[in-house]
Amino acid sequence: MVAKDRAQREILEIISKKGSTAAAAAAAAASRRGHITVGYRGSFAFGREGLSDVKFRKLSRILVCGRVALCRDVFGETLNESRDPDHGMSERYTSRFFLKHSSIEQAFDALQEQGFRLVASCGSGTAGGNTAELKPGVDLEENRWNHYNEFVFVRD
């Protein structure tokens, strides 16, 4: 009878350990799920009198929006957190990160390597002939070719 009680206790311990392992696995899977939005403001090639001496696409900054822990996991050292004032809490969301590089393809590769897939995107056209007040140092011709694009990625 003692052996039977001991066997039942061992079975219950195994079941409870498997349950906690399953719960831990579910929590880990949930922390890997999420959405990240990548956006950039750029300018198409432009040049006076039809001479384009600028690269096809000029990106000023790649913006990153999502859950802090997820963004850190995906982008690692290339993530610049200097504009985000609430350092430390990793389960919060932010839209204030940007990448230290300006290669959108590198950002897409990092997301794909981490199991993300593109689910949505949107973009604005060029600015056209808007000659409203420009900031000092902004070229009117370049401003005409500015555009903004966003890409939404998800990992299930």
Side-chain angles (χ1 to χ4, degrees):
M1 186 139 190
V2 174
K4 185 178 177 183
D5 289 337
R6 185 180 309 145
Q8 286 177 343
R9 273 185 277 150
E10 288 175 3
I11 290 171
L12 289 174
E13 283 179 25
I14 291 170
I15 291 171
S16 68
K17 284 182 184 176
K18 284 187 179 181
S20 65
T21 304
S31 70
R32 292 190 45 80
R33 286 188 214 129
H35 296 80
I36 292 180
T37 302
V38 175
Y40 73 88
R41 187 171 315 283
S43 177
F44 291 119
F46 65 93
R48 289 172 180 74
E49 301 172 12
L51 301 173
S52 179
D53 59 350
V54 182
K55 295 178 183 176
F56 174 74
R57 181 184 62 214
K58 176 181 163 188
L59 301 183
S60 56
R61 182 175 283 174
I62 299 174
L63 307 169
V64 177
C65 175
R67 196 168 70 241
V68 172
L70 202 56
C71 294
R72 286 177 181 156
D73 183 41
V74 172
F75 295 110
E77 293 297 316
T78 63
L79 191 66
N80 190 332
E81 301 182 38
S82 65
R83 287 183 39 205
D84 191 39
D86 298 325
H87 294 290
M89 299 173 7
S90 61
E91 286 307 309
R92 65 184 171 79
Y93 288 82
T94 186
S95 62
R96 300 189 57 91
F97 288 159
F98 61 95
L99 298 180
K100 294 177 182 176
H101 58 79
S102 61
S103 172
I104 194 72
E105 293 83 3
Q106 185 178 348
F108 290 170
D109 285 345
L111 286 157
Q112 191 270 332
E113 288 169 4
Q114 293 290 324
F116 282 84
R117 60 188 170 84
L118 180 67
V119 293
S121 65
C122 65
S124 68
T126 59
N130 185 4
T131 58
E133 290 184 33
L134 296 175
K135 294 179 182 175
V138 174
D139 182 16
L140 176 62
E141 186 68 20
E142 181 177 357
N143 191 52
R144 287 187 183 143
W145 294 101
N146 282 346
H147 62 282
Y148 181 77
N149 293 300
E150 276 189 351
F151 303 90
V152 180
F153 291 86
V154 66
R155 180 169 64 186
D156 297 323

